[in-house]
Amino acid sequence: MEKYYLAVDIGASSGRHILGRLKDGKLSLEEIYRFPNGMKTVDGSLCWDLETLFLEIKEGLKRCREAGKVPSFMGIDTWAVDYVLLDDREQVLGKTYGYRDNRTAGMDDKVYEIICQEELYGRTGIQKQIFNTIYQLMAAKQKEPELLERAESLLLIPDYFHFLLTGVKRTEYTNATTTQLVSPATKEWDYELIDRLGYPKKIFGKISKPGTYVGNFREEISREVGFDCQVILPATHDTGSAVAAIPTTKEHTLYISSGTWSLMGTELLAADCSLESMKRNLTNEGGYDYRFRYLKNIMGLWMIQSVRKEFKEEYSYAAICEQASGQKIPSIVDCNDNSFLAPVNMIDAVKAYCEKTGQQTPENEWEIAAVIYNSLGKCYAETIEQIEQMTGRKYDRIHVVGGGSNAEYLNQITAKYTGRAVYAGPGEATAIGNLLVQMLYNHEFADLKEGRACVRESFEIKKYL
């Protein structure tokens, strides 16, 4: 009887159920279900609809049963930093805010009144992003203190879904590090920091490594979906899963996890929490087996996704790439500028940036796309330079994984600006990394290196020079 593993991979715009199995030494994938996702405006706030998302999770499980491909193991990964607060009856308190909501504006200053930015980075090694959980909790403390007072526990989004499935609360390590409240030395919550910030220590549960058994389905879940299953913690931060699936057995590899965000970096065995690393805005997010994902968050394909929705006609990403490749406009924007985080209109934001910086203003949608793609290429080149300076290593290639690895023009642009060979694929890296950790738990592979070798042999990798 074939053994199936299920990765439920939920991104900012969609979710998917991917079944995986090993066949003749190679990893085989099958998408069994897909569903939409997105932040919704609730009383003026950008929020996630977790109730609907959990219904979709269960629907995908039912589709597995209907297909006669019942998984023995499963795990869920999502985006980072967002969370729920639960009361003493395990009910969600307040809204489930999305990271693009503006309630965190000015909360960095509130945090720095208590702990300076240099000390905070030295304690956590995490890049400042205004949406990090540390700032979201400061917003809650300032604006909704009664919620924190009533809270008995805090769960990041994938941990909450695992809890709904099993009734067991686990806090997974890779996602916990993105809160900017975890010590890279102890791999545990920095309770002294949490206490200084005035956050209730009791809500932060024990942190567990990827590959930890959470529990089996609760009885009512098993009845509803028609089977039982072991729930295993993957790297629940989607980038953590994607990096686990890099198709190489070499150490010191440079990667871009390319999707809504571009996460560009390498892996370290010890975090770099130096002042110079902080100045370069590099981060030390947790990875599988306590590796550190030393990387920079870059706005990524969020900008292209946004302008695509604003175009007068509907175009495929392939068509946008093709048209953008023929443009000559030289203008470049800073992809990490805050004006591109959640603008009312991305096209207007790009034009305004070009005008403000005295550059040629794009006149049509294809020039807009060309500016964005070229700006990403330039940003990648600058980031490589910084990582090489900080690590003292030279990197001759970049592994691009995730949905953005399918964007041929962007891969060409990346090779052009960085002067490095680009190896693109697999596109479903996040789901694959999720599956690898489940398989490692079940001893299908001896270690991560063996799992990555299997990925390299199982999927097509395209090379760009």
Side-chain angles (χ1 to χ4, degrees):
M1 185 176 177
E2 289 184 305
K3 185 171 292 179
Y4 289 96
Y5 300 79
L6 176 66
V8 181
D9 170 29
I10 308 177
S13 58
S14 67
R16 59 210 61 82
H17 289 59
I18 305 291
L19 280 172
R21 61 190 171 111
L22 285 175
K23 186 175 182 180
D24 299 327
K26 293 187 177 182
L27 182 57
S28 173
L29 303 182
E30 179 183 355
E31 182 179 301
I32 206 81
Y33 186 62
R34 182 176 286 262
F35 54 93
N37 187 28
M39 297 179 202
K40 298 180 180 179
T41 302
V42 179
D43 298 327
S45 303
L46 288 175
C47 299
W48 299 108
D49 184 353
L50 297 192
E51 185 175 347
T52 296
L53 285 177
F54 190 58
L55 289 174
E56 297 285 17
I57 290 170
K58 292 188 290 185
E59 180 61 31
L61 293 173
K62 294 173 187 176
R63 298 291 180 91
C64 294
R65 183 202 67 215
E66 292 166 3
K69 299 175 180 179
V70 173
S72 301
F73 305 90
M74 72 161 292
I76 301 171
D77 65 78
T78 76
W79 62 96
V81 306
D82 292 337
Y83 63 90
V84 298
L85 296 173
L86 301 180
D87 65 15
D88 56 3
R89 295 179 298 114
E90 316 290 17
Q91 299 300 304
V92 176
L93 290 165
K95 302 173 182 175
T96 304
Y97 293 96
Y99 59 85
R100 294 191 190 277
D101 184 71
N102 64 7
R103 72 188 179 121
T104 54
M107 292 302 119
D108 49 346
D109 293 333
K110 294 291 183 182
V111 168
Y112 300 150
E113 288 173 7
I114 300 167
I115 179 171
C116 70
Q117 188 173 359
E118 292 78 8
E119 184 187 353
L120 180 60
Y121 189 87
R123 294 182 78 122
T124 67
I126 296 299
Q127 168 190 22
K128 178 190 173 181
Q129 299 272 26
I130 193 60
F131 47 71
N132 287 352
T133 317
I134 188 174
Y135 306 114
Q136 293 198 42
L137 287 172
M138 183 56 71
K141 179 184 173 184
Q142 297 291 321
K143 301 173 183 181
E144 300 175 297
E146 70 283 356
L147 296 184
L148 281 179
E149 290 169 7
R150 292 173 56 198
E152 291 293 325
S153 55
L154 175 149
L155 291 176
L156 295 164
I157 301 300
D159 297 325
Y160 176 61
F161 289 142
H162 287 145
F163 166 67
L164 292 179
L165 288 171
T166 66
V168 178
K169 295 177 184 175
R170 293 276 189 184
T171 299
E172 188 276 321
Y173 168 70
T174 67
N175 218 357
T177 64
T178 70
T179 64
Q180 210 169 352
L181 293 166
V182 171
S183 165
T186 66
K187 318 297 191 295
E188 299 290 346
W189 296 113
D190 186 335
Y191 283 110
E192 181 187 348
L193 171 61
I194 288 167
D195 195 44
R196 284 170 63 181
L197 292 166
Y199 305 155
K201 289 191 286 187
K202 68 178 180 180
I203 68 175
F204 298 91
K206 180 175 173 56
I207 294 174
S208 299
K209 293 172 61 175
T212 298
Y213 168 72
V214 180
N216 282 51
F217 288 166
R218 292 186 293 127
E219 187 176 336
E220 54 267 44
I221 297 294
S222 292
R223 283 199 305 267
E224 183 177 352
V225 303
F227 64 93
D228 193 16
C229 185
Q230 294 187 54
V231 177
I232 309 299
L233 287 181
T236 61
H237 182 197
D238 50 12
T239 308
S241 279
V243 171
I246 296 171
T248 180
T249 56
K250 295 182 178 180
E251 295 291 339
H252 313 307
T253 297
L254 201 64
Y255 59 79
I256 302 173
S257 176
S258 181
T260 300
W261 290 86
S262 288
L263 296 309
M264 185 174 196
T266 188
E267 287 184 304
L268 301 179
L269 297 181
D272 184 341
C273 300
S274 66
L275 183 61
E276 187 61 29
S277 182
M278 186 200 79
K279 288 178 179 177
R280 295 175 185 272
N281 215 21
L282 291 159
T283 199
N284 297 267
E285 295 176 354
Y288 180 78
D289 201 22
Y290 290 143
R291 294 163 176 261
F292 289 93
R293 292 174 284 126
Y294 190 55
L295 57 84
K296 178 169 285 190
N297 284 275
I298 300 166
M299 202 73 74
L301 293 175
W302 158 249
M303 297 176 72
I304 286 291
Q305 292 166 354
S306 298
V307 299
R308 180 175 179 248
K309 293 177 182 176
E310 296 165 6
F311 287 167
K312 294 177 182 177
E313 296 183 37
E314 187 173 330
Y315 300 99
S316 68
Y317 287 115
I320 295 171
C321 280
E322 183 179 356
Q323 292 292 335
S325 66
Q327 308 305 309
K328 303 297 183 184
I329 184 168
S331 301
I332 295 290
V333 302
D334 177 1
C335 296
N336 286 327
D337 191 89
N338 283 337
S339 63
F340 303 126
L341 182 61
V344 175
N345 185 285
M346 185 66 75
I347 291 175
D348 289 345
V350 172
K351 288 182 176 180
Y353 188 97
C354 291
E355 291 171 0
K356 180 180 68 175
T357 53
Q359 300 182 81
Q360 180 180 334
T361 303
E363 296 182 355
N364 57 53
E365 50 208 8
W366 310 127
E367 288 191 342
I368 288 282
V371 168
I372 293 171
Y373 282 124
N374 281 281
S375 298
L376 280 172
K378 186 172 188 296
C379 189
Y380 294 160
E382 292 171 348
T383 301
I384 288 178
E385 192 174 310
Q386 292 178 359
I387 291 173
E388 288 186 335
Q389 289 172 355
M390 293 305 301
T391 63
R393 295 189 177 93
K394 292 292 182 181
Y395 303 91
D396 63 354
R397 65 185 62 192
I398 307 168
H399 282 275
V400 181
V401 297
S405 67
N406 297 317
E408 292 211 13
Y409 178 54
L410 181 56
N411 293 331
Q412 293 164 357
I413 285 285
T414 302
K416 170 188 169 184
Y417 275 91
T418 65
R420 298 340 191 256
V422 170
Y423 292 81
E428 289 287 2
T430 301
I432 293 168
N434 183 325
L435 295 167
L436 283 187
V437 173
Q438 297 178 50
M439 291 175 175
L440 282 161
Y441 168 82
N442 198 38
H443 308 293
E444 300 275 16
F445 304 114
D447 51 27
L448 182 61
K449 184 176 182 179
E450 187 176 305
R452 283 174 165 171
C454 179
V455 175
R456 184 184 60 198
E457 298 302 317
S458 301
F459 302 97
E460 180 185 9
I461 312 297
K462 293 185 177 180
K463 184 177 180 180
Y464 298 84
L465 295 174

